[in-house]
Amino acid sequence: MNTTIEADSTLTDRYQTTVPATVRHALKLKRRDRIHYTIRPNGEVVLSRASDESSRDPVMTSFLAFLERDLQEHPENIQAVTVSTFAEAERLTSGVEVDMDEVLPEDDDDA
């Protein structure tokens, strides 16, 4: 989009607003779509279409849904992380260096 589009909207008493039609059309927004806000240090706010839920990893989504259900159905299984548990985790991972920017290799089907 090379053209600058400007529009105004008003906040209600409940801090809600209507996204102006020009913005909805420019972002191809439909009812129930999600909007992402980026607030820059200078106070500028960039509004964009939020990433599509369907683009998320379905396995991870299913796993997280399973965890949520399990935690809700069996809250008695929730245990606090103790100092000794944390110390054990630190012991097991000491000396392990992780480069968060490293590209992960493709899955090896021969393994």
Side-chain angles (χ1 to χ4, degrees):
M1 177 183 329
N2 293 332
T3 305
T4 299
I5 297 173
E6 293 186 21
D8 293 326
S9 65
T10 303
L11 286 176
T12 68
D13 291 337
R14 296 182 63 191
Y15 296 100
Q16 296 173 335
T17 189
T18 300
V19 178
T22 53
V23 175
R24 292 193 312 266
H25 294 302
L27 297 178
K28 297 179 175 70
L29 293 171
K30 299 181 299 290
R31 293 177 194 264
R32 310 302 301 165
D33 279 349
R34 295 176 60 243
I35 298 171
H36 178 78
Y37 298 87
T38 303
I39 303 172
R40 296 187 174 156
N42 66 357
E44 183 179 61
V45 177
V46 178
L47 180 133
S48 58
R49 181 187 193 102
S51 62
D52 187 6
E53 295 288 327
S54 64
S55 66
R56 294 188 178 178
D57 182 344
V59 174
M60 183 58 73
T61 301
S62 296
F63 176 67
L64 292 174
F66 161 76
L67 284 179
E68 181 181 19
R69 265 192 325 276
D70 190 58
L71 290 170
Q72 289 174 348
E73 293 172 7
H74 302 286
E76 69 278 6
N77 292 336
I78 299 172
Q79 297 179 6
V81 175
T82 63
V83 173
S84 62
T85 303
F86 190 76
E88 178 67 1
E90 283 187 319
R91 184 188 70 75
L92 291 170
T93 58
S94 68
V96 175
E97 304 241 353
V98 177
D99 178 1
M100 298 302 286
D101 296 321
E102 181 180 359
V103 177
L104 296 175
E106 291 294 322
D107 290 340
D108 186 0
D109 292 335
D110 296 333

mmCIF file of all heavy atoms in Angstrom, residues 35-75:
data_model
loop_
_atom_site.group_PDB
_atom_site.id
_atom_site.type_symbol
_atom_site.label_atom_id
_atom_site.label_comp_id
_atom_site.label_asym_id
_atom_site.label_seq_id
_atom_site.Cartn_x
_atom_site.Cartn_y
_atom_site.Cartn_z
ATOM 1 N N ILE A 35 -6.967 -7.452 15.615
ATOM 2 C CA ILE A 35 -6.129 -6.317 15.238
ATOM 3 C C ILE A 35 -4.905 -6.312 16.144
ATOM 4 O O ILE A 35 -4.998 -6.575 17.341
ATOM 5 C CB ILE A 35 -6.910 -4.996 15.390
ATOM 6 C CG1 ILE A 35 -8.113 -4.987 14.462
ATOM 7 C CG2 ILE A 35 -6.019 -3.796 15.131
ATOM 8 C CD1 ILE A 35 -9.060 -3.826 14.712
ATOM 9 N N HIS A 36 -3.757 -6.002 15.556
ATOM 10 C CA HIS A 36 -2.498 -5.924 16.306
ATOM 11 C C HIS A 36 -2.073 -4.459 16.386
ATOM 12 O O HIS A 36 -2.142 -3.740 15.393
ATOM 13 C CB HIS A 36 -1.412 -6.749 15.607
ATOM 14 C CG HIS A 36 -0.095 -6.684 16.291
ATOM 15 N ND1 HIS A 36 0.185 -7.410 17.421
ATOM 16 C CD2 HIS A 36 1.004 -5.957 16.027
ATOM 17 C CE1 HIS A 36 1.406 -7.146 17.814
ATOM 18 N NE2 HIS A 36 1.930 -6.256 16.994
ATOM 19 N N TYR A 37 -1.642 -4.030 17.582
ATOM 20 C CA TYR A 37 -1.177 -2.668 17.782
ATOM 21 C C TYR A 37 0.312 -2.692 18.102
ATOM 22 O O TYR A 37 0.755 -3.452 18.953
ATOM 23 C CB TYR A 37 -1.902 -2.000 18.957
ATOM 24 C CG TYR A 37 -3.393 -1.882 18.751
ATOM 25 C CD1 TYR A 37 -4.247 -2.923 19.104
ATOM 26 C CD2 TYR A 37 -3.938 -0.734 18.203
ATOM 27 C CE1 TYR A 37 -5.615 -2.809 18.919
ATOM 28 C CE2 TYR A 37 -5.309 -0.613 18.017
ATOM 29 C CZ TYR A 37 -6.145 -1.654 18.382
ATOM 30 O OH TYR A 37 -7.491 -1.548 18.189
ATOM 31 N N THR A 38 1.074 -1.844 17.433
ATOM 32 C CA THR A 38 2.485 -1.644 17.742
ATOM 33 C C THR A 38 2.632 -0.188 18.173
ATOM 34 O O THR A 38 2.281 0.717 17.417
ATOM 35 C CB THR A 38 3.373 -1.912 16.512
ATOM 36 O OG1 THR A 38 3.123 -3.242 16.049
ATOM 37 C CG2 THR A 38 4.841 -1.752 16.848
ATOM 38 N N ILE A 39 3.115 0.012 19.396
ATOM 39 C CA ILE A 39 3.289 1.368 19.900
ATOM 40 C C ILE A 39 4.776 1.683 19.879
ATOM 41 O O ILE A 39 5.573 1.026 20.548
ATOM 42 C CB ILE A 39 2.717 1.513 21.314
ATOM 43 C CG1 ILE A 39 1.237 1.123 21.303
ATOM 44 C CG2 ILE A 39 2.925 2.933 21.830
ATOM 45 C CD1 ILE A 39 0.609 1.029 22.660
ATOM 46 N N ARG A 40 5.137 2.674 19.103
ATOM 47 C CA ARG A 40 6.534 3.053 18.937
ATOM 48 C C ARG A 40 6.949 4.028 20.033
ATOM 49 O O ARG A 40 6.092 4.676 20.638
ATOM 50 C CB ARG A 40 6.738 3.646 17.552
ATOM 51 C CG ARG A 40 6.464 2.601 16.469
ATOM 52 C CD ARG A 40 6.803 3.081 15.109
ATOM 53 N NE ARG A 40 6.655 1.985 14.151
ATOM 54 C CZ ARG A 40 6.435 2.177 12.872
ATOM 55 N NH1 ARG A 40 6.365 3.392 12.372
ATOM 56 N NH2 ARG A 40 6.301 1.142 12.068
ATOM 57 N N PRO A 41 8.258 4.127 20.302
ATOM 58 C CA PRO A 41 8.737 5.005 21.381
ATOM 59 C C PRO A 41 8.282 6.459 21.254
ATOM 60 O O PRO A 41 8.103 7.145 22.249
ATOM 61 C CB PRO A 41 10.262 4.910 21.272
ATOM 62 C CG PRO A 41 10.515 3.593 20.617
ATOM 63 C CD PRO A 41 9.355 3.384 19.682
ATOM 64 N N ASN A 42 8.051 6.923 20.029
ATOM 65 C CA ASN A 42 7.638 8.317 19.837
ATOM 66 C C ASN A 42 6.128 8.504 20.028
ATOM 67 O O ASN A 42 5.600 9.586 19.810
ATOM 68 C CB ASN A 42 8.057 8.807 18.444
ATOM 69 C CG ASN A 42 7.329 8.090 17.316
ATOM 70 O OD1 ASN A 42 6.538 7.177 17.542
ATOM 71 N ND2 ASN A 42 7.622 8.489 16.095
ATOM 72 N N GLY A 43 5.409 7.441 20.443
ATOM 73 C CA GLY A 43 3.970 7.527 20.668
ATOM 74 C C GLY A 43 3.132 7.168 19.463
ATOM 75 O O GLY A 43 1.916 7.084 19.555
ATOM 76 N N GLU A 44 3.777 6.946 18.333
ATOM 77 C CA GLU A 44 3.053 6.554 17.134
ATOM 78 C C GLU A 44 2.514 5.138 17.304
ATOM 79 O O GLU A 44 3.203 4.258 17.818
ATOM 80 C CB GLU A 44 4.005 6.621 15.939
ATOM 81 C CG GLU A 44 3.361 6.313 14.619
ATOM 82 C CD GLU A 44 4.362 6.421 13.481
ATOM 83 O OE1 GLU A 44 5.360 5.679 13.491
ATOM 84 O OE2 GLU A 44 4.134 7.252 12.597
ATOM 85 N N VAL A 45 1.279 4.926 16.901
ATOM 86 C CA VAL A 45 0.655 3.603 16.999
ATOM 87 C C VAL A 45 0.420 3.081 15.587
ATOM 88 O O VAL A 45 -0.158 3.766 14.749
ATOM 89 C CB VAL A 45 -0.688 3.670 17.758
ATOM 90 C CG1 VAL A 45 -1.364 2.294 17.785
ATOM 91 C CG2 VAL A 45 -0.479 4.191 19.162
ATOM 92 N N VAL A 46 0.887 1.860 15.350
ATOM 93 C CA VAL A 46 0.680 1.219 14.059
ATOM 94 C C VAL A 46 -0.343 0.114 14.272
ATOM 95 O O VAL A 46 -0.161 -0.769 15.103
ATOM 96 C CB VAL A 46 1.999 0.629 13.500
ATOM 97 C CG1 VAL A 46 1.741 -0.083 12.187
ATOM 98 C CG2 VAL A 46 3.034 1.731 13.328
ATOM 99 N N LEU A 47 -1.419 0.193 13.533
ATOM 100 C CA LEU A 47 -2.488 -0.796 13.614
ATOM 101 C C LEU A 47 -2.367 -1.702 12.404
ATOM 102 O O LEU A 47 -2.239 -1.222 11.279
ATOM 103 C CB LEU A 47 -3.834 -0.053 13.597
ATOM 104 C CG LEU A 47 -5.082 -0.897 13.674
ATOM 105 C CD1 LEU A 47 -6.007 -0.290 14.714
ATOM 106 C CD2 LEU A 47 -5.756 -0.942 12.336
ATOM 107 N N SER A 48 -2.355 -3.002 12.636
ATOM 108 C CA SER A 48 -2.261 -3.940 11.523
ATOM 109 C C SER A 48 -3.147 -5.145 11.804
ATOM 110 O O SER A 48 -3.605 -5.348 12.928
ATOM 111 C CB SER A 48 -0.805 -4.375 11.296
ATOM 112 O OG SER A 48 -0.282 -4.966 12.464
ATOM 113 N N ARG A 49 -3.366 -5.899 10.786
ATOM 114 C CA ARG A 49 -4.136 -7.129 10.929
ATOM 115 C C ARG A 49 -3.297 -8.115 11.742
ATOM 116 O O ARG A 49 -2.123 -8.318 11.457
ATOM 117 C CB ARG A 49 -4.424 -7.666 9.529
ATOM 118 C CG ARG A 49 -5.222 -8.911 9.498
ATOM 119 C CD ARG A 49 -5.281 -9.435 8.049
ATOM 120 N NE ARG A 49 -6.281 -10.439 7.989
ATOM 121 C CZ ARG A 49 -7.496 -10.247 7.505
ATOM 122 N NH1 ARG A 49 -7.825 -9.082 6.991
ATOM 123 N NH2 ARG A 49 -8.378 -11.201 7.519
ATOM 124 N N ALA A 50 -3.878 -8.719 12.772
ATOM 125 C CA ALA A 50 -3.156 -9.699 13.581
ATOM 126 C C ALA A 50 -2.955 -10.970 12.773
ATOM 127 O O ALA A 50 -3.715 -11.260 11.847
ATOM 128 C CB ALA A 50 -3.934 -10.002 14.863
ATOM 129 N N SER A 51 -1.920 -11.718 13.127
ATOM 130 C CA SER A 51 -1.648 -12.954 12.400
ATOM 131 C C SER A 51 -2.840 -13.892 12.502
ATOM 132 O O SER A 51 -3.504 -13.968 13.527
ATOM 133 C CB SER A 51 -0.390 -13.634 12.935
ATOM 134 O OG SER A 51 -0.576 -13.993 14.290
ATOM 135 N N ASP A 52 -3.086 -14.574 11.440
ATOM 136 C CA ASP A 52 -4.223 -15.485 11.336
ATOM 137 C C ASP A 52 -4.037 -16.664 12.275
ATOM 138 O O ASP A 52 -2.984 -17.288 12.306
ATOM 139 C CB ASP A 52 -4.343 -15.970 9.886
ATOM 140 C CG ASP A 52 -5.583 -16.790 9.639
ATOM 141 O OD1 ASP A 52 -6.429 -16.914 10.537
ATOM 142 O OD2 ASP A 52 -5.702 -17.329 8.526
ATOM 143 N N GLU A 53 -5.071 -16.973 13.044
ATOM 144 C CA GLU A 53 -5.024 -18.104 13.975
ATOM 145 C C GLU A 53 -4.703 -19.408 13.252
ATOM 146 O O GLU A 53 -4.049 -20.281 13.793
ATOM 147 C CB GLU A 53 -6.364 -18.257 14.704
ATOM 148 C CG GLU A 53 -6.725 -17.106 15.601
ATOM 149 C CD GLU A 53 -5.895 -17.054 16.856
ATOM 150 O OE1 GLU A 53 -5.514 -18.111 17.369
ATOM 151 O OE2 GLU A 53 -5.622 -15.948 17.327
ATOM 152 N N SER A 54 -5.161 -19.545 12.015
ATOM 153 C CA SER A 54 -4.964 -20.801 11.290
ATOM 154 C C SER A 54 -3.506 -21.011 10.905
ATOM 155 O O SER A 54 -3.117 -22.116 10.540
ATOM 156 C CB SER A 54 -5.845 -20.849 10.043
ATOM 157 O OG SER A 54 -5.454 -19.837 9.134
ATOM 158 N N SER A 55 -2.689 -19.935 10.990
ATOM 159 C CA SER A 55 -1.284 -20.088 10.629
ATOM 160 C C SER A 55 -0.463 -20.646 11.792
ATOM 161 O O SER A 55 0.713 -20.928 11.647
ATOM 162 C CB SER A 55 -0.702 -18.745 10.178
ATOM 163 O OG SER A 55 -0.669 -17.845 11.271
ATOM 164 N N ARG A 56 -1.085 -20.801 12.940
ATOM 165 C CA ARG A 56 -0.381 -21.352 14.088
ATOM 166 C C ARG A 56 -0.199 -22.859 13.928
ATOM 167 O O ARG A 56 -0.966 -23.521 13.246
ATOM 168 C CB ARG A 56 -1.146 -21.058 15.374
ATOM 169 C CG ARG A 56 -1.176 -19.577 15.681
ATOM 170 C CD ARG A 56 -1.762 -19.334 17.012
ATOM 171 N NE ARG A 56 -1.726 -17.904 17.290
ATOM 172 C CZ ARG A 56 -2.209 -17.368 18.368
ATOM 173 N NH1 ARG A 56 -2.763 -18.110 19.290
ATOM 174 N NH2 ARG A 56 -2.150 -16.073 18.553
ATOM 175 N N ASP A 57 0.795 -23.367 14.601
ATOM 176 C CA ASP A 57 1.103 -24.791 14.550
ATOM 177 C C ASP A 57 -0.051 -25.580 15.168
ATOM 178 O O ASP A 57 -0.329 -25.449 16.358
ATOM 179 C CB ASP A 57 2.401 -25.039 15.317
ATOM 180 C CG ASP A 57 2.853 -26.479 15.292
ATOM 181 O OD1 ASP A 57 2.048 -27.368 14.960
ATOM 182 O OD2 ASP A 57 4.029 -26.717 15.623
ATOM 183 N N PRO A 58 -0.756 -26.421 14.386
ATOM 184 C CA PRO A 58 -1.912 -27.139 14.919
ATOM 185 C C PRO A 58 -1.535 -28.121 16.021
ATOM 186 O O PRO A 58 -2.326 -28.360 16.938
ATOM 187 C CB PRO A 58 -2.495 -27.856 13.702
ATOM 188 C CG PRO A 58 -1.403 -27.892 12.699
ATOM 189 C CD PRO A 58 -0.523 -26.709 12.977
ATOM 190 N N VAL A 59 -0.350 -28.686 15.964
ATOM 191 C CA VAL A 59 0.071 -29.622 17.012
ATOM 192 C C VAL A 59 0.271 -28.868 18.320
ATOM 193 O O VAL A 59 -0.196 -29.289 19.384
ATOM 194 C CB VAL A 59 1.352 -30.378 16.594
ATOM 195 C CG1 VAL A 59 1.874 -31.237 17.736
ATOM 196 C CG2 VAL A 59 1.078 -31.235 15.364
ATOM 197 N N MET A 60 0.949 -27.720 18.243
ATOM 198 C CA MET A 60 1.182 -26.930 19.446
ATOM 199 C C MET A 60 -0.137 -26.399 20.004
ATOM 200 O O MET A 60 -0.363 -26.409 21.212
ATOM 201 C CB MET A 60 2.142 -25.770 19.146
ATOM 202 C CG MET A 60 2.496 -24.952 20.363
ATOM 203 S SD MET A 60 3.249 -25.892 21.714
ATOM 204 C CE MET A 60 4.868 -26.179 21.042
ATOM 205 N N THR A 61 -1.025 -25.975 19.114
ATOM 206 C CA THR A 61 -2.331 -25.480 19.550
ATOM 207 C C THR A 61 -3.097 -26.577 20.275
ATOM 208 O O THR A 61 -3.682 -26.343 21.334
ATOM 209 C CB THR A 61 -3.143 -24.953 18.346
ATOM 210 O OG1 THR A 61 -2.383 -23.903 17.723
ATOM 211 C CG2 THR A 61 -4.490 -24.417 18.764
ATOM 212 N N SER A 62 -3.076 -27.783 19.734
ATOM 213 C CA SER A 62 -3.763 -28.913 20.374
ATOM 214 C C SER A 62 -3.126 -29.253 21.715
ATOM 215 O O SER A 62 -3.823 -29.529 22.699
ATOM 216 C CB SER A 62 -3.735 -30.144 19.471
ATOM 217 O OG SER A 62 -4.445 -29.900 18.300
ATOM 218 N N PHE A 63 -1.797 -29.233 21.769
ATOM 219 C CA PHE A 63 -1.094 -29.542 23.008
ATOM 220 C C PHE A 63 -1.417 -28.515 24.089
ATOM 221 O O PHE A 63 -1.696 -28.876 25.241
ATOM 222 C CB PHE A 63 0.414 -29.605 22.766
ATOM 223 C CG PHE A 63 1.220 -29.830 24.011
ATOM 224 C CD1 PHE A 63 1.140 -31.028 24.703
ATOM 225 C CD2 PHE A 63 2.052 -28.835 24.504
ATOM 226 C CE1 PHE A 63 1.872 -31.245 25.857
ATOM 227 C CE2 PHE A 63 2.790 -29.038 25.663
ATOM 228 C CZ PHE A 63 2.700 -30.239 26.338
ATOM 229 N N LEU A 64 -1.413 -27.234 23.724
ATOM 230 C CA LEU A 64 -1.721 -26.189 24.701
ATOM 231 C C LEU A 64 -3.171 -26.289 25.174
ATOM 232 O O LEU A 64 -3.463 -26.064 26.347
ATOM 233 C CB LEU A 64 -1.425 -24.816 24.111
ATOM 234 C CG LEU A 64 0.056 -24.515 23.874
ATOM 235 C CD1 LEU A 64 0.218 -23.176 23.158
ATOM 236 C CD2 LEU A 64 0.852 -24.532 25.171
ATOM 237 N N ALA A 65 -4.075 -26.651 24.270
ATOM 238 C CA ALA A 65 -5.474 -26.848 24.654
ATOM 239 C C ALA A 65 -5.590 -28.017 25.625
ATOM 240 O O ALA A 65 -6.339 -27.958 26.607
ATOM 241 C CB ALA A 65 -6.335 -27.084 23.418
ATOM 242 N N PHE A 66 -4.827 -29.099 25.373
ATOM 243 C CA PHE A 66 -4.807 -30.246 26.282
ATOM 244 C C PHE A 66 -4.315 -29.821 27.666
ATOM 245 O O PHE A 66 -4.914 -30.161 28.691
ATOM 246 C CB PHE A 66 -3.906 -31.353 25.723
ATOM 247 C CG PHE A 66 -3.462 -32.342 26.760
ATOM 248 C CD1 PHE A 66 -4.333 -33.308 27.238
ATOM 249 C CD2 PHE A 66 -2.179 -32.294 27.275
ATOM 250 C CE1 PHE A 66 -3.929 -34.217 28.208
ATOM 251 C CE2 PHE A 66 -1.766 -33.195 28.244
ATOM 252 C CZ PHE A 66 -2.641 -34.153 28.714
ATOM 253 N N LEU A 67 -3.218 -29.054 27.704
ATOM 254 C CA LEU A 67 -2.678 -28.591 28.992
ATOM 255 C C LEU A 67 -3.697 -27.738 29.745
ATOM 256 O O LEU A 67 -3.890 -27.899 30.955
ATOM 257 C CB LEU A 67 -1.394 -27.792 28.783
ATOM 258 C CG LEU A 67 -0.135 -28.567 28.461
ATOM 259 C CD1 LEU A 67 1.032 -27.605 28.264
ATOM 260 C CD2 LEU A 67 0.198 -29.573 29.545
ATOM 261 N N GLU A 68 -4.352 -26.839 29.008
ATOM 262 C CA GLU A 68 -5.348 -25.977 29.648
ATOM 263 C C GLU A 68 -6.483 -26.801 30.255
ATOM 264 O O GLU A 68 -6.876 -26.589 31.404
ATOM 265 C CB GLU A 68 -5.902 -24.989 28.631
ATOM 266 C CG GLU A 68 -6.931 -24.045 29.219
ATOM 267 C CD GLU A 68 -7.494 -23.075 28.204
ATOM 268 O OE1 GLU A 68 -7.393 -23.327 26.990
ATOM 269 O OE2 GLU A 68 -8.053 -22.058 28.642
ATOM 270 N N ARG A 69 -6.994 -27.774 29.482
ATOM 271 C CA ARG A 69 -8.068 -28.639 29.989
ATOM 272 C C ARG A 69 -7.611 -29.418 31.214
ATOM 273 O O ARG A 69 -8.321 -29.520 32.211
ATOM 274 C CB ARG A 69 -8.505 -29.628 28.896
ATOM 275 C CG ARG A 69 -9.673 -29.205 28.073
ATOM 276 C CD ARG A 69 -10.230 -30.334 27.205
ATOM 277 N NE ARG A 69 -9.263 -31.266 26.665
ATOM 278 C CZ ARG A 69 -8.564 -31.071 25.543
ATOM 279 N NH1 ARG A 69 -8.732 -29.973 24.847
ATOM 280 N NH2 ARG A 69 -7.721 -31.970 25.115
ATOM 281 N N ASP A 70 -6.401 -29.974 31.138
ATOM 282 C CA ASP A 70 -5.885 -30.786 32.235
ATOM 283 C C ASP A 70 -5.716 -29.947 33.507
ATOM 284 O O ASP A 70 -6.053 -30.405 34.604
ATOM 285 C CB ASP A 70 -4.556 -31.426 31.839
ATOM 286 C CG ASP A 70 -4.109 -32.468 32.841
ATOM 287 O OD1 ASP A 70 -4.867 -33.434 33.076
ATOM 288 O OD2 ASP A 70 -3.016 -32.292 33.413
ATOM 289 N N LEU A 71 -5.215 -28.730 33.360
ATOM 290 C CA LEU A 71 -5.036 -27.859 34.523
ATOM 291 C C LEU A 71 -6.382 -27.477 35.137
ATOM 292 O O LEU A 71 -6.510 -27.388 36.364
ATOM 293 C CB LEU A 71 -4.259 -26.599 34.139
ATOM 294 C CG LEU A 71 -2.785 -26.810 33.808
ATOM 295 C CD1 LEU A 71 -2.192 -25.537 33.213
ATOM 296 C CD2 LEU A 71 -2.010 -27.235 35.034
ATOM 297 N N GLN A 72 -7.387 -27.264 34.294
ATOM 298 C CA GLN A 72 -8.707 -26.904 34.798
ATOM 299 C C GLN A 72 -9.403 -28.094 35.455
ATOM 300 O O GLN A 72 -10.070 -27.944 36.477
ATOM 301 C CB GLN A 72 -9.577 -26.331 33.674
ATOM 302 C CG GLN A 72 -9.124 -24.967 33.227
ATOM 303 C CD GLN A 72 -9.899 -24.459 32.023
ATOM 304 O OE1 GLN A 72 -10.636 -25.191 31.372
ATOM 305 N NE2 GLN A 72 -9.712 -23.187 31.714
ATOM 306 N N GLU A 73 -9.229 -29.275 34.880
ATOM 307 C CA GLU A 73 -9.919 -30.460 35.395
ATOM 308 C C GLU A 73 -9.207 -31.087 36.589
ATOM 309 O O GLU A 73 -9.827 -31.791 37.380
ATOM 310 C CB GLU A 73 -10.072 -31.492 34.271
ATOM 311 C CG GLU A 73 -11.022 -31.037 33.169
ATOM 312 C CD GLU A 73 -11.039 -31.968 31.969
ATOM 313 O OE1 GLU A 73 -10.418 -33.052 32.018
ATOM 314 O OE2 GLU A 73 -11.688 -31.602 30.961
ATOM 315 N N HIS A 74 -7.883 -30.847 36.707
ATOM 316 C CA HIS A 74 -7.114 -31.466 37.792
ATOM 317 C C HIS A 74 -6.193 -30.451 38.468
ATOM 318 O O HIS A 74 -4.970 -30.616 38.487
ATOM 319 C CB HIS A 74 -6.288 -32.638 37.252
ATOM 320 C CG HIS A 74 -7.116 -33.686 36.583
ATOM 321 N ND1 HIS A 74 -7.905 -34.563 37.280
ATOM 322 C CD2 HIS A 74 -7.311 -33.967 35.270
ATOM 323 C CE1 HIS A 74 -8.537 -35.360 36.430
ATOM 324 N NE2 HIS A 74 -8.203 -35.008 35.201
ATOM 325 N N PRO A 75 -6.773 -29.399 39.061
ATOM 326 C CA PRO A 75 -5.931 -28.382 39.701
ATOM 327 C C PRO A 75 -5.118 -28.940 40.864
ATOM 328 O O PRO A 75 -4.092 -28.367 41.242
ATOM 329 C CB PRO A 75 -6.930 -27.323 40.167
ATOM 330 C CG PRO A 75 -8.236 -28.037 40.263
ATOM 331 C CD PRO A 75 -8.193 -29.111 39.212
#
